[in-house]
Amino acid sequence: PGAPVHHHGGHLHRPAQAVATRFHIEDMLGNMPEDFPELNQTTFREPGYIPKGFDQTYYSCTEGHGMIIYEEPDSPYVLSYSCMTLNTSISLDTEDCLMEQVSVSGNKAYLYTKYRGELKGHTSLIWHDGSYIYLIGGPISSQEIIRMAESLT
């Protein structure tokens, strides 16, 4: 009776669903402020706490976007920290993730944890403090990622 229909989570799988699993910062910020602080070398804040075993391997701070990457020896996965201006458009791959709302230094934050697949156990944390958007992601626990987020100086 015709070709088999692939079910995906009990629903017919349509490409639109894949789009829905992506996180958009606009949803979290609500209305974008008209004026937002600029990001540059002076205003770029870095995490003071880095999980044990990781070393900084990359640093970049251009206008509007700062990024640091940390790596562990013998691991193919990286831990990344980004800080962006509020008008930055971000999509985060939230497929196969559990999402919980947490707090980072009093700011509402979203924590995503991959629960299956190759990146199982990896976490991503996204938040904003009214001035900038912050994103951390990598092979670390939720406790570690929040500690790192709260250590920004």
Side-chain angles (χ1 to χ4, degrees):
V5 175
H6 291 286
H7 286 276
H8 182 81
H11 298 284
L12 288 174
H13 185 57
R14 295 189 185 88
Q17 279 186 299
V19 178
T21 64
R22 292 196 173 268
F23 166 88
H24 291 280
I25 190 69
E26 293 78 9
D27 302 336
M28 177 177 168
L29 286 167
N31 294 332
M32 284 289 175
E34 295 282 313
D35 295 315
F36 46 85
E38 286 183 20
L39 179 67
N40 51 44
Q41 294 278 354
T42 319
T43 55
F44 180 51
R45 298 165 69 199
E46 301 180 30
Y49 169 76
I50 308 303
K52 195 173 185 321
F54 285 90
D55 287 310
Q56 181 176 318
T57 55
Y58 176 82
Y59 175 99
S60 155
C61 185
T62 55
E63 203 170 310
H65 191 178
M67 184 176 196
I68 305 177
I69 290 176
Y70 309 91
E71 294 183 60
E72 278 180 304
D74 308 322
S75 167
Y77 306 115
V78 301
L79 172 60
S80 66
Y81 161 72
S82 296
C83 173
M84 295 146 283
T85 48
L86 289 177
N87 65 331
T88 309
S89 182
I90 302 173
S91 286
L92 195 60
D93 173 19
T94 55
E95 202 171 1
D96 295 337
C97 281
L98 296 170
M99 192 273 273
E100 58 184 310
Q101 197 176 303
V102 295
S103 171
V104 171
S105 306
N107 298 298
K108 186 167 77 172
Y110 293 98
L111 174 69
Y112 294 91
T113 306
K114 290 269 185 193
Y115 60 83
R116 65 176 182 195
E118 192 194 351
L119 300 178
K120 185 178 176 179
H122 283 219
T123 53
S124 299
L125 183 66
I126 189 162
W127 78 100
H128 76 93
D129 58 7
S131 300
Y132 303 105
I133 301 164
Y134 304 93
L135 175 64
I136 302 177
I140 59 174
S141 70
S142 53
Q143 289 88 350
E144 290 278 67
I145 206 169
I146 292 169
R147 184 174 168 190
M148 195 174 163
E150 295 199 316
S151 75
L152 293 188
T153 55

